[in-house]
Amino acid sequence: MSDTLLHYVLIPFVKGLVTVLLLALAAGVLTWIERRLLGRFQIRKGPNRVGPQGFFQWIADVVKLVFKEDVVPSRAEKALHLLGPLLLFVPAVVVLGLVPWGPEVTLFGVTTPLHAAADLNVGLLLILAVSTIGVYGIILSGWASNSKYPLLGGLRSAAQLISYEVPMGLAVVAAILMSNSLSMVEIIEAQRRAGVWFVFPGLVAFFLYFVSGVAETNRTPFDLPEAESELVGGFHTEYSGFRWAVFFMSEYGNMISISAVATTLFFGGWLRPFPNVAWLSFLDVVPAFFWFTGKVFLFLIAYIWFRATFPRYRFDQLMALGWKSLIPISLVNLALVAIAVLWGAAGLKVLGAILVLLVAAGLFAVWRRPARPRTSTTMASANVEVRA
Amino acid sequence: MSESTPGTTAQFPPLAGPPLLGLHEMELNFGPQHPSTHGVLRLVLKVDGERIVSARPDVGYLHRGTEKLFETETFPMVIPHTDRMDYVAASTNNHAYCLVVEKLLGVEVPKRAQYIRVLLDEMQRISSHVLWLATAAIDLGAITPFFYTFRDREVILDLFEEYCGARLTLNCMRIGGLPVDLTPGWLEKVRAFAEPFEKCIDEYEDLLTENRIWKERTVGIAVLDEKRCIEWGVTGPVLRAAGKAWDIRRALPYECYPELEFDIPVGRNADTYDRYLVRVAEIRQSRRIVLQCLDWLDKNPGTEIRGKVPRVIKPPAGEAYASVEAPKGELGFHLVASGGNKPYRLHVRPPSFINLQALPEMAQGHLVGDLVAVIGTIDIVLGEVDR
């Protein structure tokens, strides 16, 4: 009887609690990493006063936000105004709970998979379904604020998130084809059996998934719903204090969730590189959980790098990119992957090799491209001439 | 073109059809408190979804009655007030005002003072243009160029501080010349900044010029062709990007500009991207002028900084107009003197204000996201728009 209590109540409760806390903690630490890294990108220092290297800055920020006055616009739709941030935050936690962080582990004499929820046989479908709910959070908070800028932000995000869910879904289908399963654990095991991470045969699918993921999380260059220079704060213009903090946490939580799913689908989850090559087994000294978090971390760095590099797309250009480029590419990619899977085990390896060679050739061409000529008086542009 | 009313162009005809549920258009207040109106500009937008049906600028939130204030001050005391018009390019304001008073007085400015004035103006142009670049890029979501440009602008401001004690409101010219002579070693410091500065401009261009998203956001946005520019009285980089090589430094030369070598960058497509390219090219040209001024000053040492100016400045009764090429366009002062020690009337031709008139036409038919690019591309300073 106590066994039932342990396995059906206590362990799931602890795991759920750990997931929520870990996500909140990781989001906080991530803001510190982002600000320090942006500082490096932008020839400045970033926060460096609170604690060593400014590490406790995020705690100070959280404290400030919690004690800040919680302003609700007087004619706002109060209930929905409250519901908005929650609807954005909860899906991020649930998705992270559905992703396996490692294989079975034994802690305090209890053996359990490192996985907050059970390993569902429709795990991937549930992830897609749950992450879609987040868009309601943005639309409702934009609408409930009873203000024009949030309304525009909400409308933008509605269109954006729905558009980018299509290429994202199609990219995920490619991973499903390769692994022949919807279960997250099974997808990782399939990558172990195939001897190759799905990122190689699924290079295009991974690219599509990650680009759509950036759009889904409203990050630069797709941060239109909250575009500061255009819509002030977008959907969260009328939020302050802790409600705003929840939005902030959800953005970072969503980044982590998207990265975690990308890691699982395309980068072998907790597997070490080349899981079947025996002489690399010394890599196993690093526990599986750290392989997983390390990969997720690399994705997060990429997010921050994007933010330092790219200007923002315009709304219609964003839509055009989604519908006219990403969706056709993902359909073609799906056909290619399907053919490779039909071919058999060798098919995936051949497809992966071809794609890797193509990317290498492209990089080589970029590397060999001549530098733009510059002189002190003119620029290397046909648009501008100089007249004495 | 005479039948065309402001704010409507053939390119973007007004939207037709009955309003949908009475919600066809929404009125949106853009500013005066908004992150990218560069101060207290207020635009009343009519938007259909995100498309701008009309944009009406509402100026005056920073109006301080500067032109009236001029009339209460003696001629030398006007100079600090000019600082506060285009406060990111104070030296060209000082310069234009001093020129008009000198014109009426008939004072000759010594050559050395002329070169120092031009040196200050061109450093100011660099600092104003890099500030424009920083803000225009951040408006379009590119946050990184901001820090690179500010790194270099900071050096220029430090140099100004060393010369005249102020970083922004310089008050760095006097009627007939300059207030003080150069600090020893200052010219070497300017050279130490200007010579490697070319690499910094390359860095800005690496970040933006071939950046695909930057091009998508700027090419073809806010087109204002040469004809419309001239009809609106638009000057400066906006006019030059439309293909007209009109630069007061060459068209109506003042000071020692005829002796200096520099080119006028001219664009082809009259869009936001060409204006960006023209401004970056102008930064390079300004650097060229700075280096030439440094060479001349090194070769011609001296202490002359001021012409023969009477102790009490009382220009004869009459009118004069003088203008300079400010970073934003033609900055002119029209002085009416009555023979007293104060201006009877001093009218300013502010490039920001006159260029801003073209905004409704440039913005119409674009999306709200483009509006920030349109405001940025005109390069307005509200201190000068409102005065």
Side-chain angles (χ1 to χ4, degrees), chain A residues 41-42 44 148-149 156 229-230 308 310 312-314 316-317 374 377 379 381-383 385 387, chain B residues 27 29 34 36 50 139-140 144 147 202 206 216-217 221 264 266 268 274 285 288 370 372:
Chain A
F41 281 121
Q42 297 171 342
R44 61 194 173 91
K148 286 170 184 172
Y149 286 107
R156 280 183 176 190
S229 58
E230 298 162 22
F310 292 130
R312 183 182 302 121
Y313 266 107
R314 201 175 61 209
D316 56 331
Q317 292 165 346
R374 288 188 176 111
T377 56
M379 284 176 308
S381 168
N383 290 35
E385 54 183 315
R387 295 187 197 158
Chain B
E27 200 170 77
N29 250 319
H34 188 280
S36 45
E50 289 232 4
D139 284 347
L140 294 185
T144 302
F147 297 94
D202 290 346
D206 283 340
E216 283 188 23
R217 289 300 306 274
I221 300 298
I264 303 172
V266 170
R268 292 229 165 86
D274 277 15
Q285 297 298 331
R288 251 176 103 193
D370 289 325
V372 294

Side-chain angles (χ1 to χ4, degrees), chain B residues 72-333:
Chain B
T72 67
E73 306 281 21
T74 61
F75 281 100
M77 283 163 66
V78 166
I79 300 172
H81 289 298
T82 64
D83 283 338
R84 282 144 183 89
M85 293 191 327
D86 180 357
Y87 44 75
V88 299
S91 96
T92 49
N93 302 350
N94 297 162
H95 201 160
Y97 170 71
C98 290
L99 278 181
V100 76
V101 180
E102 285 154 11
K103 202 169 179 179
L104 210 53
L105 273 176
V107 174
E108 180 83 3
V109 179
K111 200 96 236 178
R112 183 159 180 276
Q114 290 187 15
Y115 270 95
I116 297 173
R117 279 180 168 189
V118 168
L119 176 62
L120 291 169
D121 275 7
E122 295 305 322
M123 284 166 66
Q124 187 77 79
R125 194 183 316 278
I126 294 174
S127 88
S128 172
H129 277 357
V130 297
L131 180 75
W132 167 82
L133 182 59
T135 52
I138 219 163
D139 284 347
L140 294 185
I143 48 176
T144 302
F146 184 88
F147 297 94
Y148 283 79
T149 52
F150 264 58
R151 170 194 63 190
D152 306 322
R153 182 171 177 265
E154 200 63 19
V155 180
I156 298 179
L157 296 191
D158 285 344
L159 289 167
F160 278 140
E161 189 178 10
E162 189 171 335
Y163 172 62
C164 62
R167 295 162 64 81
L168 214 57
T169 51
L170 300 177
N171 191 15
C172 66
M173 290 182 200
R174 293 291 180 271
I175 294 159
L178 298 157
V180 287
D181 202 357
L182 301 177
T183 324
W186 190 75
L187 290 175
E188 285 75 67
K189 285 184 190 164
V190 177
R191 190 181 288 281
F193 162 74
E195 267 174 0
F197 181 57
E198 188 77 30
K199 282 214 172 56
C200 303
I201 309 173
D202 290 346
E203 275 181 3
Y204 313 152
E205 288 219 57
D206 283 340
L207 285 168
L208 293 174
T209 303
E210 293 296 321
N211 187 322
R212 197 184 143 163
I213 303 177
W214 176 255
K215 280 176 106 166
E216 283 188 23
R217 289 300 306 274
T218 54
V219 173
I221 300 298
V223 176
L224 193 71
D225 61 23
E226 187 183 328
K227 187 161 176 284
R228 291 302 280 161
C229 278
I230 292 170
E231 280 168 358
W232 280 115
V234 169
T235 48
V238 182
L239 175 63
R240 287 192 284 275
K244 175 92 178 150
W246 175 261
D247 187 317
I248 305 293
R249 292 174 294 177
R250 279 280 185 257
L252 305 165
Y254 53 97
E255 308 289 24
C256 57
Y257 276 114
E259 297 163 26
L260 295 166
E261 262 180 45
F262 64 96
D263 302 314
I264 303 172
V266 170
R268 292 229 165 86
N269 305 320
D271 59 3
T272 302
Y273 185 64
D274 277 15
R275 282 174 213 131
Y276 155 74
L277 291 176
V278 163
R279 287 198 176 97
V280 175
E282 280 181 18
I283 298 175
R284 293 184 195 271
Q285 297 298 331
S286 289
R287 173 182 165 274
R288 251 176 103 193
I289 300 174
V290 165
L291 289 175
Q292 289 173 55
C293 290
L294 291 174
D295 289 342
W296 192 93
L297 289 166
D298 279 344
K299 271 192 225 119
N300 300 277
T303 51
E304 256 194 316
I305 53 161
R306 231 172 155 182
K308 287 194 172 54
V309 184
R311 186 165 287 271
V312 178
I313 292 170
K314 275 190 183 176
E319 291 187 31
Y321 176 81
S323 59
V324 300
E325 183 67 30
K328 279 133 193 111
E330 176 183 352
L331 172 67
F333 276 84

